[in-house]
């Protein structure tokens, strides 16, 4: 592990990390870079971010910088714990490759960062700072946005990792990244809690043992609101009253605010229609703590991931049909783009031309047949309830029905290369998330449970041996009336596809930590479907 205190040293090191063995720049999966920005005083919450970054990137960087720009004059900047040696040992044990620990003078160009009037700053939307912590910490989010923008510019990571505990910060940074067109993916990670429910925070070390015990009331009050929400209470006033009532049982807890807002826009909500964020700030002694919980009224999402040829699409269709849910074949979306690229005569290696093409294309997935005149039923209408025969899925790109064309060996041979391209993935993931916004969806693909819907209520990783998947593929091609392909050829193609999918830079194929793996070599489709339906009903009965 390396540690750098200067921008020049870090940039030189990261440049070497991005070089191939021959010194040429490489964009292979092995060179993806993940950044975990921190203020030090690292704990298990930070470790969860580092572990996620380690799983998804070849190079992991951690920044340690107590940013003066985000502290108010009466806040704890000078008191904030600084323990670089201990944090370095923590990072090395966690498998971090490089630490960036600059001084304020280094990061702010010779200035300390305390003179905001002489620094260029990033100013997030005022409306997003007008709620929750914003009114109580003037200048805070401007300081956060500025330092994170600088770190992203210096490090140039593929992904940056943040905790859901700082939900307002996360929402604001997502907006900053989007509005400034920064080329990075922000990854939100779940809040890590102590056994009492207290969210882990570097400031917890300020608490006395008695205050620590009292602090558990924050999560307890949020949990009560969540229970009330699941019992049908949707009004903001009622949910906030429940939280305040629970907090009032502990005299040592002095609430600063309890609010309910939209988790992405920070707009205050009078009632939760789809999703809402209940957030708290409170003081215990001289220590200020924050916590939050997301309330979701969406129907459950089933994410089915796995390698090519594992039967994901067939199984997902039938599960959706049996449960009366929507079926979204994300693989068909990537296949449609691949077909369009081939028809347009664009080289697979010409990522710029493909980005231009996909940005101007419209993909529709329609459950039901499109008639000869091009008229289709509404996109993604629910499957027929409790029918073992799934409604047919029609795939259109720019209005053209390509349902059959996208299943050819020619498309199959190149779809992985197309799906690995960042701009293609960004465009399609955005559409997939919109389709699944209200829930009640069964999705299959390579990264549904890890990237598209990491908060899916049920995650399945469906797999089978290369030999079994080749056998199934051969039968599929025969049923479709396609030219015969030998098993040996199919096995080689599937093996190569697995290698590409699991090592690509953009969202490599990986089983989510909380996914249930089903190996299907000796299982019929009916048996796999039944297993997933049983798992779904078990989750539903236990409140998911």
């Amino acid at each position: 592990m390396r540690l750098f205190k200067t921008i020049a040293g870090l940039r030189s090191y990261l440049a070497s990390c991005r070089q191939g063995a021959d010194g040429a720049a490489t964009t292979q999966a092995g060179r993806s870079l993940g950044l975990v920005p921190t203020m030090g005083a690292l704990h298990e919450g930070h470790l969860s971010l580092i572990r996620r970054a380690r799983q998804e990137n070849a190079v992991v960087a951690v920044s340690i910088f107590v940013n003066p720009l985000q502290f108010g004059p009466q806040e704890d900047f000078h008191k904030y714990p600084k323990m670089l040696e201990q944090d370095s040992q923590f990072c090395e044990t966690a498998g971090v490759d490089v630490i960036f620990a600059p001084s304020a003078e280094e990061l702010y160009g010779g200035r300390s960062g305390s003179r905001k009037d002489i620094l260029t700053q990033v100013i997030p939307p005022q409306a997003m700072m007008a709620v929750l912590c914003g009114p109580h910490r003037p200048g805070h989010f401007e300081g956060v946005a500025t330092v994170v923008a600088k770190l992203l510019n210096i490090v140039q990571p593929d992904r940056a990792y943040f905790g859901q505990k700082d939900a307002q910060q996360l929402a604001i940074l997502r907006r900053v990244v989007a509005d400034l067109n920064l080329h990075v993916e922000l990854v939100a990670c779940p809040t890590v809690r102590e056994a009492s429910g207290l969210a882990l925070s570097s400031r917890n070390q300020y608490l006395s043992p008695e205050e620590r015990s009292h602090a558990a009331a924050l999560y307890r009050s949020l949990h009560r609101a969540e229970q009330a929400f699941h019992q049908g209470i949707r009004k903001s006033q009622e949910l906030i009253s429940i939280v305040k009532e629970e907090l009032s049982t502990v005299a040592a807890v002095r609430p600063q605010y309890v609010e309910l807002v939209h988790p992405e826009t920070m707009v205050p909500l009078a009632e939760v229609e789809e999703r809402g964020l209940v957030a708290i700030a409170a003081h215990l002694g001289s220590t200020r703590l924050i916590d939050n919980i997301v309330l979701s009224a969406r129907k459950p999402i089933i994410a089915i991931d796995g390698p090519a040829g594992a039967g994901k699409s067939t199984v997902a269709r039938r599960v959706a049909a049996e449960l009366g849910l929507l079926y979204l074949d994300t693989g068909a979306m990537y296949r449609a783009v691949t077909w369009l690229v081939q028809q347009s005569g664009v080289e697979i290696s010409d990522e710029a031309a493909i980005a231009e093409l996909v940005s101007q294309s419209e993909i529709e997935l329609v459950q039901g047949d499109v008639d000869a005149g091009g008229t289709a039923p509404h996109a993604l209408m629910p499957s027929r309830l409790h029918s073992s025969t799934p409604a047919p899925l029609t795939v259109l790109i720019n209005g053209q029905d390509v349902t059959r064309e996208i299943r050819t060996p020619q498309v199959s041979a190149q779809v992985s290369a197309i799906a690995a391209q960042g701009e293609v993935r960004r465009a399609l993931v955005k559409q997939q998330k919109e389709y699944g916004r209200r829930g009640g969806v069964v999705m299959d693909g390579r990264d549904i449970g890890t990237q598209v819907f990491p908060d899916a209520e049920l995650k399945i990783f469906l797999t089978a041996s290369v030999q079994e998947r080749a056998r199934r593929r051969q039968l599929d091609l025969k049923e479709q009336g396609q030219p015969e392909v030998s098993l040996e050829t199919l096995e080689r193609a599937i093996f190569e596809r697995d290698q590409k999918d699991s090592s690509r830079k953009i969202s490599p194929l990986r089983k989510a930590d909380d996914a249930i793996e089903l190996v299907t070599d000796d299982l019929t489709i009916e048996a796999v479907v039944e297993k997933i339906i049983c798992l779904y009903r078990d989750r539903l009965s236990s409140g998911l």
Side-chain angles (χ1 to χ4, degrees), residues 335 338 342 404-415 473 477 480-485 489-490 493 497:
R335 286 177 172 272
T338 304
Q342 292 174 342
R404 179 180 171 84
E405 288 82 352
I406 65 174
R407 300 297 174 182
T408 63
Q410 291 78 12
V411 170
S412 296
Q414 293 187 321
V415 66
R473 185 64 181 147
L477 292 173
Q480 295 168 15
Q482 302 285 355
E484 185 175 346
V485 182
T489 300
L490 289 171
R497 174 80 178 272

Side-chain angles (χ1 to χ4, degrees), residues 73-266:
Q74 305 304 317
E75 294 186 343
D76 58 344
F77 172 66
H78 295 291
K79 180 183 171 185
Y80 199 88
K82 300 173 182 67
M83 45 186 71
L84 183 58
E85 184 176 347
Q86 182 177 325
D87 287 341
S88 297
Q89 293 173 355
F90 183 98
C91 287
E92 187 160 21
T93 302
V96 171
D97 297 292
V98 58
I99 292 174
F100 180 45
S103 64
E105 289 73 21
E106 173 69 14
L107 199 60
Y108 289 116
R111 290 154 290 181
S112 68
S114 59
R115 287 286 310 278
K116 298 180 182 182
D117 58 323
I118 61 174
L119 290 172
T120 299
Q121 294 187 68
V122 176
I123 311 298
Q126 292 294 333
M128 298 187 77
M129 300 188 291
V131 297
L132 308 189
C133 292
H136 305 282
R137 302 191 69 187
H140 171 72
F141 289 114
E142 294 93 327
V144 170
T146 299
V147 75
V148 171
K150 289 177 71 68
L151 290 170
L152 294 178
N153 185 48
I154 292 166
V155 178
Q156 298 284 305
D158 297 286
R159 303 175 188 91
Y161 297 80
F162 296 88
Q164 178 62 34
K165 182 180 78 70
D166 299 300
Q168 186 175 18
Q169 170 183 279
L170 178 61
I172 286 173
L173 291 176
R174 286 194 189 282
R175 178 65 67 83
V176 168
V177 164
D179 288 353
L180 298 184
N181 300 109
L182 301 181
H183 199 68
V184 62
E185 176 186 356
L186 298 194
V187 180
C189 299
T191 301
V192 179
R193 300 182 181 278
E194 297 182 0
S196 67
L198 175 63
L200 295 190
S201 169
S202 298
R203 289 186 169 95
N204 287 358
Q205 59 188 278
Y206 297 160
L207 299 171
S208 68
E210 185 178 21
E211 288 172 337
R212 202 180 198 94
S213 175
H214 290 154
L218 272 68
Y219 179 67
R220 195 164 61 245
S221 68
L222 292 170
H223 184 58
R224 275 200 60 197
E226 183 181 40
Q227 289 176 318
F229 179 79
H230 288 311
Q231 291 167 5
I233 295 177
R234 296 288 186 271
K235 299 290 185 183
S236 175
Q237 283 187 334
E238 294 179 68
L239 292 166
I240 288 173
S241 293
I242 290 169
V243 173
K244 288 182 175 179
E245 180 184 355
E246 182 63 34
L247 292 176
S248 69
T249 64
V250 182
V253 175
R254 306 191 313 280
Q256 187 176 68
Y257 67 74
V258 179
E259 298 181 38
L260 196 155
V261 299
H262 190 283
E264 295 168 12
T265 64
M266 296 290 111

Side-chain angles (χ1 to χ4, degrees), residues 401-458:
D401 184 350
V402 294
T403 307
R404 179 180 171 84
E405 288 82 352
I406 65 174
R407 300 297 174 182
T408 63
Q410 291 78 12
V411 170
S412 296
Q414 293 187 321
V415 66
S416 186
I418 293 293
Q421 296 184 19
E423 293 306 320
V424 172
R425 181 185 175 277
R426 268 182 278 277
L428 297 193
V429 165
K430 182 179 179 181
Q431 188 169 345
Q432 290 160 16
K433 287 184 174 181
E434 183 58 28
Y435 275 139
R437 184 169 54 88
R438 293 179 181 273
V441 173
V442 181
M443 295 188 182
D444 71 282
R446 303 287 186 279
D447 60 355
I448 306 304
T450 55
Q451 298 293 327
V452 183
F453 279 101
D455 58 345
E457 285 76 11
L458 177 60

Side-chain angles (χ1 to χ4, degrees), residues 38-84:
T38 81
M39 291 206 302
L42 304 180
H43 50 67
E44 290 295 313
H46 296 109
L47 181 60
S48 73
L49 306 183
I50 294 170
R51 284 174 174 162
R52 177 76 179 269
R54 184 76 279 167
Q55 287 178 330
E56 298 178 353
N57 304 277
V59 180
V60 175
V62 170
S63 63
I64 297 176
F65 178 66
V66 183
N67 176 32
L69 207 59
Q70 68 192 68
F71 287 80
Q74 305 304 317
E75 294 186 343
D76 58 344
F77 172 66
H78 295 291
K79 180 183 171 185
Y80 199 88
K82 300 173 182 67
M83 45 186 71
L84 183 58

